[in-house]
Amino acid sequence: MKCRKCGHEAVINMRQHKLALCGEHFLEWVPEQTQRFIEKYGMFTPDERILVAVSGGKDSLSLWDVLLRLGYKADGMYIGLGIDGGVDYSSQSHEMCEKFLANIKSQNCIPTWQPTLHVVDVAQLYGETIPDVAARTTRGRGKPCSVCGLVKRHVMNRVARDGGYGVLVTGHNLDDEVAVLLGNTLTWNAGYLLRQAPVLPADKPGLARKVKPFFRFYERETAAYALVRGIEYIYDECPFAEGSTSIAHKEILNQMEKDSPGVKLRFYLDFLRAREQGLFAQQAAHVELSACDKCGQPTSAPGLCAFCRLWEGKKTDGVGQASQV
Amino acid sequence: MKCRKCGHEAVINMRQHKLALCGEHFLEWVPEQTQRFIEKYGMFTPDERILVAVSGGKDSLSLWDVLLRLGYKADGMYIGLGIDGGVDYSSQSHEMCEKFLANIKSQNCIPTWQPTLHVVDVAQLYGETIPDVAARTTRGRGKPCSVCGLVKRHVMNRVARDGGYGVLVTGHNLDDEVAVLLGNTLTWNAGYLLRQAPVLPADKPGLARKVKPFFRFYERETAAYALVRGIEYIYDECPFAEGSTSIAHKEILNQMEKDSPGVKLRFYLDFLRAREQGLFAQQAAHVELSACDKCGQPTSAPGLCAFCRLWEGKKTDGVGQASQV
């Protein structure tokens, strides 16, 4: 397989685009496409300060890299969840983020922006690791994933707000998005279908705008980018992800993709088009949000938000505080 | 595995219901469930004359059998499509329908209704077989499936109308319905999603009500019913179905079902619930129908309907005629 641009040996063939590229041209193509998506979906402008949630994985580190290469004012945020899973998962992930930053800085090739990495350690700040919190609550039926999602959303939003970031950026790729879409479709959850989008506007006071600039890249493309670009990342999935529905859905979707290249991308883009045209509009329930009594973040519950209720009676030094980052 | 009702050896285990049954109790269970679906979805009443579209396959013959056992006034209709495919497909299918009828009559166990089988031979009536018509039109891009669907819909509707049948019944099972649903969902086709239902009311003059009493049975259940009940049926799929999208979708869905028993049924029932709650209502476009100038059936096109346009300039003895059945 030859690169379409220069005829050299290709490193990747993207069947859904009928496009094969060599390493050099792939490293050009990814930022070009990202820039196109940022503009097409109105994600952010070069003036805005951007907060990228980095996990130490290929998607978020590649995204941070691409945004810096494109000249955006992108800082990183790592949330230490205290997950070990026999592979020292959280420490390893943190290390990858620090390594990435050090590497970027040493290269001194980012002229416009000197990035920082905000680090929030959940156990240090709130007194317990995610697995410990999960073990004493009924949320998530024995799995920490639900608690983890709640905590991450809260912390990301707080750091974005306190740090004065206009926009919060995550590294979700197309495989992530389509797996969630399949799950929401299998249960026909109108509320979830309505809220799934590459740009979630900051339409409530205290909520940061959330965007996913990599949502049109397949997982293998973000992996290839990290590889070709020489970005070190943590290969392991979160140990708690094993056996999850979203992994099962990814396998199903990959099998469909194999038989019909592009089906994942079309499924998602057709969904966005239908959503835009109001397919689910009938079901849009208006939810009243008020400020949490403790931390001030928007919540649909009266009094305390779900995050603050999680830590009631526990060491709460960090809860409701201004960002320590 | 033991029968839940009597403890004898089970012939089928339905994981989605956590229900295993022996042959005797399975042959009781299928009509009981069918009756429940007929009532729950308001399909038809014992007073109505019912026309069952039979193909010679397990679903439609089992359905006809069950409806007669339940005491419904159910006649059959077979449409000869003129498909050979190296297995004499259409003749074999026809033979199975005639055998079924002869068998039912010889058993003399249907006290309330003496069923008839209407036979419409497309080539005889309209001058060409389905593969021949398909070969000279652009409809369906080389595959006769689209033409076949158009012709069958037209003929079924005509026979129902001319024969004074209040309702047209087809043997679609859950696997059929869910495969179509997956296809419509992958492309987010709002119009198709709105029109997919186990009961399509006769809301336009000249259109028969269409219902699918087997839509909650898995394919393996209708096959098991035919087998245990001793109904001979044609095993071959239509030779043109090979490689079709709906077969690919069925395979995908079966794989999901294996990992998560009941997912197919839940997907469809949740869809119906969401549809009922108006999930797609926003997109309901009103289509004006008028009567076709030639055959009188409702059409959205001005002048001739798609069916009559198909035969323009051909032998048209049968087109627009009253039923010859």
Side-chain angles (χ1 to χ4, degrees):
Chain A
M1 189 71 67
K2 301 287 173 207
C3 173
R4 188 202 280 174
K5 302 212 173 166
C6 67
H8 287 135
E9 196 60 35
V11 296
I12 190 163
N13 179 25
M14 295 169 284
R15 288 175 73 198
Q16 80 279 18
H17 301 308
K18 294 191 174 69
L19 178 66
L21 292 173
C22 71
E24 187 187 331
H25 285 115
F26 183 63
L27 286 186
E28 272 177 16
W29 182 83
V30 170
E32 275 166 21
Q33 291 297 307
T34 308
Q35 180 59 29
R36 189 168 79 85
F37 304 151
I38 290 168
E39 289 171 17
K40 182 178 170 76
Y41 298 94
M43 292 183 172
F44 43 76
T45 63
D47 302 331
E48 289 182 277
R49 286 176 59 232
I50 291 163
L51 186 63
V52 186
V54 286
S55 66
K58 63 192 185 317
D59 300 300
S60 53
L61 291 182
S62 295
L63 176 58
W64 196 8
D65 182 73
V66 167
L67 293 179
L68 290 171
R69 286 180 63 200
L70 287 168
Y72 286 103
K73 301 172 182 167
D75 288 333
M77 164 185 37
Y78 173 79
I79 305 177
L81 305 163
I83 294 171
D84 184 296
V87 293
D88 210 8
Y89 181 74
S90 283
S91 312
Q92 293 281 332
S93 312
H94 185 187
E95 201 185 317
M96 292 298 173
C97 298
E98 296 287 1
K99 261 194 187 168
F100 172 83
L101 184 70
N103 207 25
I104 283 279
K105 285 188 167 170
S106 74
Q107 286 175 7
N108 212 8
C109 59
I110 313 291
T112 47
W113 187 250
Q114 280 298 324
T116 11
L117 176 65
H118 303 288
V119 177
V120 177
D121 189 279
V122 171
Q124 220 174 358
L125 195 56
Y126 302 116
E128 277 177 309
T129 65
I130 292 292
D132 288 343
V133 187
R136 64 167 170 83
T137 69
T138 52
R139 197 177 252 269
R141 291 178 238 143
K143 274 219 154 199
C145 308
S146 166
V147 165
C148 187
L150 171 65
V151 170
K152 281 194 292 194
R153 280 192 300 277
H154 176 93
V155 172
M156 289 192 297
N157 210 50
R158 180 175 63 74
V159 174
R161 183 191 63 186
D162 294 351
Y165 292 96
V167 60
L168 182 61
V169 174
T170 56
H172 293 93
N173 59 42
L174 187 86
D175 293 71
D176 299 327
E177 292 301 297
V178 174
V180 170
L181 179 58
L182 181 60
N184 291 339
T185 305
L186 285 174
T187 54
W188 293 99
N189 189 316
Y192 288 171
L193 287 169
L194 261 166
R195 276 196 298 273
Q196 194 177 355
V199 176
L200 292 176
D203 55 0
K204 311 283 177 196
L207 275 183
R209 179 159 86 264
K210 286 179 190 155
V211 305
K212 304 167 186 167
F214 270 11
F215 84 101
R216 288 179 62 155
F217 289 125
Y218 282 25
E219 185 166 358
R220 61 191 286 270
E221 290 153 24
T222 62
Y225 181 86
L227 211 73
V228 179
R229 179 94 173 128
I231 297 170
E232 243 188 292
Y233 64 88
I234 182 160
Y235 292 97
D236 297 303
E237 292 267 8
C238 172
F240 291 111
E242 206 184 314
S244 70
T245 322
S246 70
I247 290 186
H249 288 163
K250 282 183 179 179
E251 282 168 11
I252 286 289
L253 287 156
N254 283 337
Q255 194 184 321
M256 292 170 73
E257 182 76 20
K258 216 175 120 193
D259 296 337
S260 171
V263 70
K264 288 193 292 196
L265 183 60
R266 286 194 304 272
F267 179 38
Y268 196 71
L269 294 183
D270 284 348
F271 161 72
L272 289 185
R273 178 192 42 72
R275 190 177 169 282
E276 193 72 22
Q277 289 170 357
L279 186 59
F280 315 111
Q282 195 86 343
Q283 295 277 303
H286 182 71
V287 179
E288 272 307 332
L289 294 185
S290 56
C292 168
D293 288 350
K294 191 156 189 179
C295 73
Q297 287 205 24
T299 174
S300 57
L304 297 188
C305 71
F307 176 84
C308 289
R309 272 182 281 128
L310 200 62
W311 305 92
E312 272 203 294
K314 289 280 147 188
K315 176 191 171 193
T316 52
D317 295 0
V319 181
Q321 283 196 353
S323 169
Q324 304 198 348
V325 295
Chain B
M1 190 69 68
K2 301 288 174 203
C3 172
R4 188 202 282 175
K5 301 212 173 168
C6 67
H8 287 135
E9 195 61 34
V11 296
I12 191 163
N13 179 26
M14 294 169 285
R15 289 176 72 198
Q16 79 278 20
H17 301 308
K18 295 191 174 67
L19 178 66
L21 292 173
C22 70
E24 187 187 332
H25 285 115
F26 183 63
L27 286 187
E28 270 176 17
W29 182 83
V30 170
E32 274 166 23
Q33 292 297 307
T34 308
Q35 179 60 28
R36 189 167 79 83
F37 304 151
I38 290 168
E39 289 170 16
K40 182 179 169 76
Y41 297 94
M43 292 185 171
F44 43 76
T45 63
D47 302 332
E48 289 182 278
R49 285 176 59 233
I50 291 162
L51 185 64
V52 186
V54 287
S55 67
K58 63 192 184 320
D59 301 299
S60 54
L61 291 182
S62 295
L63 176 58
W64 196 8
D65 182 73
V66 166
L67 293 180
L68 290 172
R69 284 181 64 199
L70 287 168
Y72 287 103
K73 300 172 183 169
D75 288 335
M77 162 184 40
Y78 174 79
I79 305 177
L81 306 162
I83 293 171
D84 185 294
V87 292
D88 210 8
Y89 181 73
S90 283
S91 311
Q92 293 280 334
S93 312
H94 185 187
E95 200 185 317
M96 292 299 172
C97 298
E98 296 287 0
K99 260 193 187 169
F100 172 83
L101 184 70
N103 208 24
I104 282 279
K105 285 189 168 169
S106 74
Q107 286 175 7
N108 212 8
C109 60
I110 313 291
T112 47
W113 187 251
Q114 279 298 323
T116 11
L117 176 65
H118 303 287
V119 177
V120 176
D121 189 278
V122 170
Q124 218 173 1
L125 194 58
Y126 302 115
E128 277 177 310
T129 66
I130 292 292
D132 288 344
V133 187
R136 64 167 171 81
T137 70
T138 53
R139 197 177 251 270
R141 290 177 240 143
K143 274 219 153 199
C145 307
S146 167
V147 163
C148 187
L150 171 66
V151 169
K152 281 195 291 194
R153 280 192 301 277
H154 176 94
V155 171
M156 288 192 297
N157 209 51
R158 179 174 64 74
V159 174
R161 182 190 64 187
D162 295 350
Y165 292 95
V167 59
L168 182 61
V169 174
T170 56
H172 293 94
N173 60 41
L174 187 86
D175 293 70
D176 299 327
E177 292 302 297
V178 174
V180 170
L181 179 59
L182 180 61
N184 290 339
T185 305
L186 286 174
T187 54
W188 294 99
N189 188 316
Y192 288 171
L193 286 169
L194 262 167
R195 276 197 297 273
Q196 194 178 354
V199 176
L200 293 176
D203 56 359
K204 310 284 176 194
L207 275 183
R209 180 160 85 263
K210 285 180 191 154
V211 304
K212 304 166 186 168
F214 270 10
F215 83 101
R216 289 179 62 155
F217 289 125
Y218 282 24
E219 184 165 358
R220 60 191 286 271
E221 290 154 22
T222 61
Y225 181 86
L227 212 73
V228 179
R229 179 95 173 128
I231 297 170
E232 244 189 291
Y233 64 88
I234 182 159
Y235 292 97
D236 297 303
E237 291 268 8
C238 171
F240 292 110
E242 207 184 315
S244 70
T245 322
S246 70
I247 289 185
H249 288 164
K250 282 183 180 181
E251 282 167 12
I252 286 289
L253 287 156
N254 282 337
Q255 195 185 321
M256 293 170 71
E257 181 77 20
K258 215 174 119 195
D259 296 337
S260 171
V263 70
K264 288 193 292 196
L265 183 59
R266 285 194 303 273
F267 179 38
Y268 196 70
L269 294 183
D270 284 349
F271 161 73
L272 289 185
R273 178 191 44 71
R275 190 177 169 281
E276 192 72 21
Q277 289 170 358
L279 185 60
F280 314 112
Q282 196 87 343
Q283 295 276 306
H286 181 71
V287 179
E288 273 306 332
L289 294 185
S290 56
C292 168
D293 287 350
K294 191 156 190 179
C295 72
Q297 287 204 23
T299 173
S300 57
L304 297 187
C305 72
F307 176 85
C308 289
R309 272 182 283 129
L310 199 62
W311 305 93
E312 273 202 294
K314 288 280 147 184
K315 176 190 172 194
T316 52
D317 295 1
V319 181
Q321 282 196 353
S323 168
Q324 305 198 349
V325 295

